[in-house]
CSV table of all heavy atoms in Angstrom, one decimal:
chain,number,residue,atom,x,y,z
I,31,PHE,N,16.3,-191.0,37.6
I,31,PHE,CA,15.6,-191.0,38.9
I,31,PHE,C,14.1,-191.0,38.8
I,31,PHE,O,13.4,-190.6,39.7
I,31,PHE,CB,16.2,-189.9,39.8
I,31,PHE,CG,17.6,-190.1,40.2
I,31,PHE,CD1,18.6,-189.4,39.5
I,31,PHE,CD2,17.9,-191.0,41.2
I,31,PHE,CE1,19.9,-189.6,39.9
I,31,PHE,CE2,19.2,-191.2,41.5
I,31,PHE,CZ,20.2,-190.5,40.9
I,32,GLN,N,13.6,-191.4,37.6
I,32,GLN,CA,12.2,-191.5,37.4
I,32,GLN,C,11.4,-190.3,37.7
I,32,GLN,O,10.3,-190.4,38.3
I,32,GLN,CB,11.7,-192.8,38.1
I,32,GLN,CG,12.4,-194.0,37.7
I,32,GLN,CD,11.9,-195.3,38.5
I,32,GLN,OE1,11.0,-195.2,39.4
I,32,GLN,NE2,12.4,-196.4,38.2
I,33,VAL,N,11.9,-189.2,37.3
I,33,VAL,CA,11.2,-187.9,37.4
I,33,VAL,C,10.5,-187.6,36.1
I,33,VAL,O,11.2,-187.7,35.0
I,33,VAL,CB,12.1,-186.7,37.8
I,33,VAL,CG1,11.3,-185.4,37.9
I,33,VAL,CG2,12.8,-187.0,39.1
I,34,PRO,N,9.2,-187.4,36.0
I,34,PRO,CA,8.5,-187.1,34.7
I,34,PRO,C,9.2,-186.0,33.9
I,34,PRO,O,9.5,-185.0,34.5
I,34,PRO,CB,7.1,-186.8,35.1
I,34,PRO,CG,6.9,-187.4,36.5
I,34,PRO,CD,8.3,-187.3,37.2
I,35,ILE,N,9.4,-186.3,32.6
I,35,ILE,CA,9.9,-185.3,31.7
I,35,ILE,C,8.7,-184.6,31.1
I,35,ILE,O,8.0,-185.2,30.2
I,35,ILE,CB,10.8,-185.9,30.7
I,35,ILE,CG1,12.0,-186.6,31.3
I,35,ILE,CG2,11.3,-184.9,29.7
I,35,ILE,CD1,12.9,-187.4,30.4
I,36,VAL,N,8.5,-183.3,31.5
I,36,VAL,CA,7.3,-182.6,31.0
I,36,VAL,C,7.6,-181.7,29.8
I,36,VAL,O,6.7,-181.2,29.1
I,36,VAL,CB,6.7,-181.8,32.1
I,36,VAL,CG1,6.2,-182.7,33.2
I,36,VAL,CG2,7.7,-180.8,32.6
I,37,ARG,N,8.9,-181.5,29.5
I,37,ARG,CA,9.3,-180.7,28.4
I,37,ARG,C,10.5,-181.3,27.7
I,37,ARG,O,11.6,-181.1,27.9
I,37,ARG,CB,9.7,-179.3,28.9
I,37,ARG,CG,10.0,-178.3,27.8
I,37,ARG,CD,10.2,-176.9,28.4
I,37,ARG,NE,11.3,-176.8,29.3
I,37,ARG,CZ,12.6,-176.7,29.0
I,37,ARG,NH1,12.9,-176.6,27.7
I,37,ARG,NH2,13.6,-176.6,29.9
I,38,ALA,N,10.1,-182.3,26.8
I,38,ALA,CA,11.1,-183.1,26.1
I,38,ALA,C,11.8,-182.2,25.1
I,38,ALA,O,11.3,-181.1,24.7
I,38,ALA,CB,10.5,-184.3,25.4
I,39,THR,N,13.0,-182.7,24.7
I,39,THR,CA,13.8,-181.9,23.7
I,39,THR,C,14.5,-182.8,22.8
I,39,THR,O,14.8,-184.0,23.1
I,39,THR,CB,14.8,-181.0,24.4
I,39,THR,OG1,15.6,-180.2,23.5
I,39,THR,CG2,15.9,-181.9,25.2
I,40,THR,N,14.8,-182.3,21.6
I,40,THR,CA,15.6,-183.0,20.6
I,40,THR,C,16.9,-182.3,20.4
I,40,THR,O,17.8,-182.7,19.6
I,40,THR,CB,14.9,-183.2,19.3
I,40,THR,OG1,14.5,-181.9,18.8
I,40,THR,CG2,13.6,-184.1,19.4
I,41,ASP,N,17.1,-181.2,21.1
I,41,ASP,CA,18.3,-180.4,21.0
I,41,ASP,C,19.4,-181.0,21.9
I,41,ASP,O,19.1,-181.6,22.9
I,41,ASP,CB,18.1,-178.9,21.4
I,41,ASP,CG,17.1,-178.2,20.5
I,41,ASP,OD1,16.8,-178.8,19.4
I,41,ASP,OD2,16.6,-177.1,20.9
I,42,SER,N,20.6,-180.8,21.5
I,42,SER,CA,21.8,-181.3,22.2
I,42,SER,C,22.8,-180.2,22.4
I,42,SER,O,23.2,-179.5,21.4
I,42,SER,CB,22.4,-182.5,21.5
I,42,SER,OG,21.5,-183.5,21.4
I,43,ASP,N,23.2,-179.9,23.6
I,43,ASP,CA,24.2,-178.9,23.9
I,43,ASP,C,25.5,-179.5,24.4
I,43,ASP,O,25.4,-180.3,25.4
I,43,ASP,CB,23.7,-177.9,25.0
I,43,ASP,CG,22.4,-177.2,24.6
I,43,ASP,OD1,21.5,-177.8,24.0
I,43,ASP,OD2,22.3,-176.0,24.8
I,44,PHE,N,26.6,-179.1,23.9
I,44,PHE,CA,27.9,-179.7,24.3
I,44,PHE,C,28.8,-178.6,24.6
I,44,PHE,O,29.0,-177.6,23.9
I,44,PHE,CB,28.5,-180.5,23.1
I,44,PHE,CG,27.7,-181.8,22.8
I,44,PHE,CD1,26.7,-181.7,21.8
I,44,PHE,CD2,27.9,-182.9,23.5
I,44,PHE,CE1,26.0,-182.8,21.5
I,44,PHE,CE2,27.2,-184.1,23.2
I,44,PHE,CZ,26.2,-184.0,22.2
I,45,ALA,N,29.5,-178.7,25.8
I,45,ALA,CA,30.5,-177.8,26.2
I,45,ALA,C,31.9,-178.4,26.0
I,45,ALA,O,32.1,-179.6,26.1
I,45,ALA,CB,30.4,-177.5,27.7
I,46,PHE,N,32.8,-177.6,25.5
I,46,PHE,CA,34.2,-178.1,25.3
I,46,PHE,C,35.2,-177.0,25.4
I,46,PHE,O,34.9,-175.8,25.2
I,46,PHE,CB,34.3,-178.8,24.0
I,46,PHE,CG,33.9,-178.0,22.8
I,46,PHE,CD1,34.8,-177.2,22.1
I,46,PHE,CD2,32.6,-178.0,22.4
I,46,PHE,CE1,34.4,-176.4,21.1
I,46,PHE,CE2,32.2,-177.2,21.3
I,46,PHE,CZ,33.1,-176.4,20.7
I,47,ALA,N,36.4,-177.3,25.9
I,47,ALA,CA,37.4,-176.3,26.1
I,47,ALA,C,38.2,-176.0,24.8
I,47,ALA,O,38.5,-176.9,24.1
I,47,ALA,CB,38.4,-176.7,27.2
I,48,VAL,N,38.4,-174.7,24.6
I,48,VAL,CA,39.2,-174.3,23.5
I,48,VAL,C,40.1,-173.1,24.0
I,48,VAL,O,39.7,-172.4,24.9
I,48,VAL,CB,38.5,-173.8,22.2
I,48,VAL,CG1,37.7,-174.9,21.6
I,48,VAL,CG2,37.5,-172.7,22.6
I,49,GLU,N,41.3,-173.0,23.4
I,49,GLU,CA,42.2,-171.9,23.9
I,49,GLU,C,41.9,-170.6,23.1
I,49,GLU,O,42.1,-169.5,23.6
I,49,GLU,CB,43.6,-172.4,23.7
I,49,GLU,CG,44.0,-173.4,24.7
I,49,GLU,CD,43.8,-173.0,26.2
I,49,GLU,OE1,44.2,-171.8,26.5
I,49,GLU,OE2,43.2,-173.8,26.9
I,50,THR,N,41.5,-170.8,21.8
I,50,THR,CA,41.3,-169.6,21.0
I,50,THR,C,40.1,-169.7,20.1
I,50,THR,O,39.5,-170.9,20.0
I,50,THR,CB,42.5,-169.4,20.0
I,50,THR,OG1,42.6,-170.5,19.1
I,50,THR,CG2,43.8,-169.3,20.8
I,51,TRP,N,39.6,-168.6,19.6
I,51,TRP,CA,38.5,-168.7,18.7
I,51,TRP,C,38.8,-169.4,17.4
I,51,TRP,O,38.0,-170.0,16.8
I,51,TRP,CB,37.9,-167.3,18.4
I,51,TRP,CG,37.2,-166.7,19.6
I,51,TRP,CD1,37.5,-165.7,20.5
I,51,TRP,CD2,35.9,-167.2,20.1
I,51,TRP,NE1,36.6,-165.5,21.4
I,51,TRP,CE2,35.5,-166.4,21.2
I,51,TRP,CE3,35.0,-168.2,19.6
I,51,TRP,CZ2,34.4,-166.6,21.9
I,51,TRP,CZ3,33.8,-168.4,20.3
I,51,TRP,CH2,33.5,-167.6,21.5
I,52,GLU,N,40.1,-169.3,17.0
I,52,GLU,CA,40.5,-170.0,15.8
I,52,GLU,C,40.3,-171.5,16.0
I,52,GLU,O,39.9,-172.2,15.0
I,52,GLU,CB,42.0,-169.7,15.5
I,52,GLU,CG,42.2,-168.2,15.0
I,52,GLU,CD,42.0,-167.2,16.1
I,52,GLU,OE1,42.1,-167.5,17.3
I,52,GLU,OE2,41.8,-166.0,15.7
I,53,GLN,N,40.6,-172.0,17.2
I,53,GLN,CA,40.5,-173.4,17.4
I,53,GLN,C,39.0,-173.8,17.4
I,53,GLN,O,38.6,-174.9,16.8
I,53,GLN,CB,41.0,-173.8,18.8
I,53,GLN,CG,41.0,-175.3,19.1
I,53,GLN,CD,41.5,-175.6,20.5
I,53,GLN,OE1,42.0,-174.7,21.2
I,53,GLN,NE2,41.4,-176.8,20.9
I,54,PHE,N,38.1,-172.9,17.9
I,54,PHE,CA,36.7,-173.2,17.8
I,54,PHE,C,36.2,-173.3,16.4
I,54,PHE,O,35.4,-174.2,16.0
I,54,PHE,CB,35.9,-172.1,18.6
I,54,PHE,CG,34.4,-172.1,18.4
I,54,PHE,CD1,33.7,-173.0,19.1
I,54,PHE,CD2,33.8,-171.3,17.5
I,54,PHE,CE1,32.3,-173.1,19.0
I,54,PHE,CE2,32.4,-171.3,17.3
I,54,PHE,CZ,31.7,-172.2,18.1
I,55,ARG,N,36.6,-172.3,15.6
I,55,ARG,CA,36.2,-172.3,14.2
I,55,ARG,C,36.7,-173.5,13.4
I,55,ARG,O,36.0,-174.1,12.5
I,55,ARG,CB,36.7,-171.0,13.5
I,55,ARG,CG,36.0,-169.7,14.0
I,55,ARG,CD,36.4,-168.6,13.1
I,55,ARG,NE,35.9,-167.3,13.6
I,55,ARG,CZ,36.6,-166.5,14.3
I,55,ARG,NH1,37.9,-166.8,14.6
I,55,ARG,NH2,36.1,-165.4,14.8
I,56,ALA,N,37.9,-173.9,13.7
I,56,ALA,CA,38.5,-175.1,13.0
I,56,ALA,C,37.7,-176.4,13.4
I,56,ALA,O,37.4,-177.2,12.5
I,56,ALA,CB,39.9,-175.3,13.4
I,57,LEU,N,37.3,-176.5,14.7
I,57,LEU,CA,36.5,-177.6,15.1
I,57,LEU,C,35.1,-177.6,14.4
I,57,LEU,O,34.7,-178.7,13.9
I,57,LEU,CB,36.3,-177.6,16.6
I,57,LEU,CG,35.5,-178.8,17.2
I,57,LEU,CD1,36.1,-179.1,18.6
I,57,LEU,CD2,34.1,-178.4,17.4
I,58,ARG,N,34.5,-176.5,14.3
I,58,ARG,CA,33.2,-176.4,13.6
I,58,ARG,C,33.3,-176.7,12.2
I,58,ARG,O,32.5,-177.5,11.6
I,58,ARG,CB,32.6,-175.0,13.8
I,58,ARG,CG,31.3,-174.7,13.2
I,58,ARG,CD,30.8,-173.3,13.4
I,58,ARG,NE,29.4,-173.1,12.9
I,58,ARG,CZ,29.2,-172.7,11.7
I,58,ARG,NH1,30.2,-172.5,10.8
I,58,ARG,NH2,27.9,-172.4,11.3
I,59,ALA,N,34.4,-176.2,11.5
I,59,ALA,CA,34.6,-176.5,10.1
I,59,ALA,C,34.8,-178.0,9.9
I,59,ALA,O,34.3,-178.6,8.9
I,59,ALA,CB,35.8,-175.8,9.6
I,60,ASP,N,35.5,-178.7,10.8
I,60,ASP,CA,35.7,-180.1,10.7
I,60,ASP,C,34.4,-180.9,10.8
I,60,ASP,O,34.2,-181.9,10.1
I,60,ASP,CB,36.8,-180.6,11.7
I,60,ASP,CG,38.2,-180.2,11.4
I,60,ASP,OD1,38.4,-179.8,10.2
I,60,ASP,OD2,39.0,-180.2,12.3
I,61,LEU,N,33.6,-180.4,11.7
I,61,LEU,CA,32.3,-181.1,11.9
I,61,LEU,C,31.4,-181.0,10.6
I,61,LEU,O,30.8,-182.0,10.3
I,61,LEU,CB,31.5,-180.4,13.1
I,61,LEU,CG,31.8,-180.9,14.5
I,61,LEU,CD1,30.9,-180.1,15.4
I,61,LEU,CD2,31.6,-182.4,14.6
I,62,LEU,N,31.5,-179.8,10.0
I,62,LEU,CA,30.6,-179.6,8.8
I,62,LEU,C,31.1,-180.5,7.6
I,62,LEU,O,30.4,-180.6,6.6
I,62,LEU,CB,30.6,-178.2,8.5
I,62,LEU,CG,29.9,-177.3,9.5
I,62,LEU,CD1,30.0,-175.8,9.1
I,62,LEU,CD2,28.5,-177.7,9.7
I,63,LYS,N,32.3,-181.1,7.7
I,63,LYS,CA,32.7,-182.0,6.7
I,63,LYS,C,32.1,-183.4,6.8
I,63,LYS,O,32.3,-184.2,5.9
I,63,LYS,CB,34.3,-182.1,6.7
I,63,LYS,CG,35.0,-180.7,6.4
I,63,LYS,CD,36.5,-180.9,6.6
I,63,LYS,CE,37.2,-179.6,6.4
I,63,LYS,NZ,38.6,-179.7,6.7
I,64,ILE,N,31.6,-183.7,8.0
I,64,ILE,CA,31.0,-185.0,8.3
I,64,ILE,C,29.6,-185.1,7.8
I,64,ILE,O,28.8,-184.2,8.0
I,64,ILE,CB,31.1,-185.3,9.8
I,64,ILE,CG1,32.6,-185.2,10.3
I,64,ILE,CG2,30.5,-186.6,10.1
I,64,ILE,CD1,32.7,-185.4,11.8
I,65,GLU,N,29.2,-186.2,7.2
I,65,GLU,CA,27.9,-186.4,6.7
I,65,GLU,C,26.9,-186.3,7.8
I,65,GLU,O,27.1,-186.9,8.9
I,65,GLU,CB,27.8,-187.7,6.0
I,65,GLU,CG,26.4,-188.0,5.3
I,65,GLU,CD,26.3,-189.3,4.6
I,65,GLU,OE1,27.4,-190.0,4.6
I,65,GLU,OE2,25.3,-189.7,4.1
I,66,GLY,N,25.8,-185.5,7.6
I,66,GLY,CA,24.8,-185.4,8.6
I,66,GLY,C,24.8,-184.0,9.2
I,66,GLY,O,23.7,-183.6,9.7
I,67,PHE,N,26.0,-183.3,9.3
I,67,PHE,CA,26.1,-182.0,9.9
I,67,PHE,C,25.8,-180.9,8.8
I,67,PHE,O,26.2,-181.1,7.7
I,67,PHE,CB,27.4,-181.8,10.5
I,67,PHE,CG,27.7,-182.5,11.8
I,67,PHE,CD1,28.3,-183.7,11.9
I,67,PHE,CD2,27.2,-181.9,13.0
I,67,PHE,CE1,28.5,-184.3,13.1
I,67,PHE,CE2,27.4,-182.5,14.2
I,67,PHE,CZ,28.0,-183.7,14.2
I,68,ALA,N,25.2,-179.9,9.3
I,68,ALA,CA,24.9,-178.7,8.4
I,68,ALA,C,25.0,-177.4,9.2
I,68,ALA,O,24.7,-177.4,10.4
I,68,ALA,CB,23.5,-178.8,7.8
I,69,ALA,N,25.4,-176.4,8.5
I,69,ALA,CA,25.6,-175.1,9.2
I,69,ALA,C,24.2,-174.4,9.4
I,69,ALA,O,23.2,-174.7,8.8
I,69,ALA,CB,26.5,-174.2,8.4
I,70,THR,N,24.2,-173.5,10.4
I,70,THR,CA,23.1,-172.6,10.5
I,70,THR,C,23.6,-171.1,10.5
I,70,THR,O,24.8,-170.9,10.3
I,70,THR,CB,22.4,-172.8,11.9
I,70,THR,OG1,23.2,-172.2,12.9
I,70,THR,CG2,22.1,-174.3,12.1
I,71,SER,N,22.7,-170.2,10.6
I,71,SER,CA,23.1,-168.8,10.6
I,71,SER,C,23.8,-168.3,11.8
I,71,SER,O,24.4,-167.3,11.9
I,71,SER,CB,21.9,-167.9,10.3
I,71,SER,OG,21.0,-168.0,11.4
I,72,VAL,N,23.8,-169.2,12.9
I,72,VAL,CA,24.4,-168.8,14.2
I,72,VAL,C,25.7,-169.7,14.3
I,72,VAL,O,25.7,-170.9,14.1
I,72,VAL,CB,23.5,-169.1,15.3
I,72,VAL,CG1,24.2,-168.8,16.7
I,72,VAL,CG2,22.2,-168.4,15.2
I,73,GLU,N,26.8,-169.0,14.6
I,73,GLU,CA,28.1,-169.6,14.6
I,73,GLU,C,28.2,-170.9,15.5
I,73,GLU,O,28.8,-171.9,15.1
I,73,GLU,CB,29.2,-168.6,14.9
I,73,GLU,CG,30.6,-169.2,14.7
I,73,GLU,CD,31.7,-168.1,14.8
I,73,GLU,OE1,31.3,-167.0,15.4
I,73,GLU,OE2,32.8,-168.3,14.4
I,74,HIS,N,27.6,-170.8,16.6
I,74,HIS,CA,27.8,-171.9,17.6
I,74,HIS,C,26.7,-172.9,17.5
I,74,HIS,O,26.6,-173.8,18.3
I,74,HIS,CB,27.9,-171.4,19.0
I,74,HIS,CG,26.7,-170.7,19.6
I,74,HIS,ND1,26.4,-169.5,19.3
I,74,HIS,CD2,25.8,-171.2,20.4
I,74,HIS,CE1,25.3,-169.1,19.9
I,74,HIS,NE2,24.9,-170.2,20.6
I,75,LYS,N,25.8,-172.8,16.5
I,75,LYS,CA,24.7,-173.8,16.3
I,75,LYS,C,24.9,-174.5,15.0
I,75,LYS,O,25.1,-173.8,13.9
I,75,LYS,CB,23.4,-173.1,16.4
I,75,LYS,CG,23.1,-172.4,17.7
I,75,LYS,CD,21.7,-171.8,17.7
I,75,LYS,CE,21.4,-170.9,18.9
I,75,LYS,NZ,21.4,-171.7,20.2
I,76,VAL,N,24.8,-175.8,15.0
I,76,VAL,CA,24.8,-176.6,13.8
I,76,VAL,C,23.6,-177.6,13.9
I,76,VAL,O,22.9,-177.6,14.9
I,76,VAL,CB,26.1,-177.4,13.5
I,76,VAL,CG1,27.3,-176.4,13.4
I,76,VAL,CG2,26.4,-178.4,14.7
I,77,THR,N,23.3,-178.3,12.8
I,77,THR,CA,22.3,-179.4,12.9
I,77,THR,C,23.0,-180.7,12.6
I,77,THR,O,24.0,-180.7,11.8
I,77,THR,CB,21.1,-179.1,12.0
I,77,THR,OG1,21.6,-179.1,10.6
I,77,THR,CG2,20.5,-177.8,12.3
I,78,PHE,N,22.4,-181.7,13.1
I,78,PHE,CA,22.9,-183.1,12.8
I,78,PHE,C,21.6,-183.9,12.5
I,78,PHE,O,20.7,-184.1,13.3
I,78,PHE,CB,23.6,-183.7,14.0
I,78,PHE,CG,24.1,-185.1,13.7
I,78,PHE,CD1,25.1,-185.4,12.8
I,78,PHE,CD2,23.4,-186.2,14.3
I,78,PHE,CE1,25.6,-186.7,12.6
I,78,PHE,CE2,23.9,-187.5,14.0
I,78,PHE,CZ,24.9,-187.8,13.2
I,79,ARG,N,21.5,-184.3,11.2
I,79,ARG,CA,20.3,-185.0,10.7
I,79,ARG,C,19.0,-184.2,11.1
I,79,ARG,O,18.0,-184.8,11.5
I,79,ARG,CB,20.2,-186.4,11.3
I,79,ARG,CG,21.4,-187.3,10.9
I,79,ARG,CD,21.4,-188.7,11.5
I,79,ARG,NE,22.5,-189.5,11.1
I,79,ARG,CZ,22.7,-190.7,11.5
I,79,ARG,NH1,21.9,-191.3,12.4
I,79,ARG,NH2,23.8,-191.4,11.1
I,80,GLY,N,19.1,-182.9,10.9
I,80,GLY,CA,18.0,-182.1,11.1
I,80,GLY,C,17.7,-181.6,12.5
I,80,GLY,O,16.9,-180.7,12.7
I,81,GLU,N,18.4,-182.1,13.5
I,81,GLU,CA,18.3,-181.7,14.9
I,81,GLU,C,19.3,-180.8,15.3
I,81,GLU,O,20.5,-180.9,14.9
I,81,GLU,CB,18.3,-183.0,15.8
I,81,GLU,CG,17.3,-184.1,15.5
I,81,GLU,CD,15.9,-183.6,15.6
I,81,GLU,OE1,15.6,-182.6,16.3
I,81,GLU,OE2,15.0,-184.3,15.1
I,82,ARG,N,19.0,-179.8,16.1
I,82,ARG,CA,19.9,-178.7,16.5
I,82,ARG,C,21.0,-179.2,17.5
I,82,ARG,O,20.7,-179.9,18.4
I,82,ARG,CB,19.1,-177.5,17.1
I,82,ARG,CG,20.0,-176.3,17.2
I,82,ARG,CD,19.2,-175.1,17.8
I,82,ARG,NE,19.0,-175.3,19.3
I,82,ARG,CZ,18.4,-174.5,20.1
I,82,ARG,NH1,17.9,-173.4,19.6
I,82,ARG,NH2,18.3,-174.7,21.3
I,83,VAL,N,22.2,-178.7,17.3
I,83,VAL,CA,23.3,-179.0,18.2
I,83,VAL,C,24.0,-177.7,18.5
I,83,VAL,O,24.4,-177.0,17.6
I,83,VAL,CB,24.3,-180.0,17.5
I,83,VAL,CG1,25.5,-180.3,18.5
I,83,VAL,CG2,23.7,-181.3,17.1
Side-chain angles (χ1 to χ4, degrees):
F31 292 103
Q32 300 179 359
V33 179
I35 299 172
V36 296
R37 185 172 61 83
T39 183
T40 56
D41 296 348
S42 302
D43 298 45
F44 294 91
F46 53 92
V48 294
E49 289 303 314
T50 64
W51 285 110
E52 289 72 22
Q53 185 183 355
F54 171 80
R55 292 192 187 95
L57 183 144
R58 181 177 183 274
D60 288 343
L61 277 182
L62 294 176
K63 297 174 184 176
I64 299 175
E65 183 179 358
F67 283 98
T70 73
S71 59
V72 181
E73 188 170 15
H74 65 280
K75 299 179 188 294
V76 297
T77 61
F78 180 73
R79 299 180 179 176
E81 304 295 347
R82 194 181 73 177
V83 180

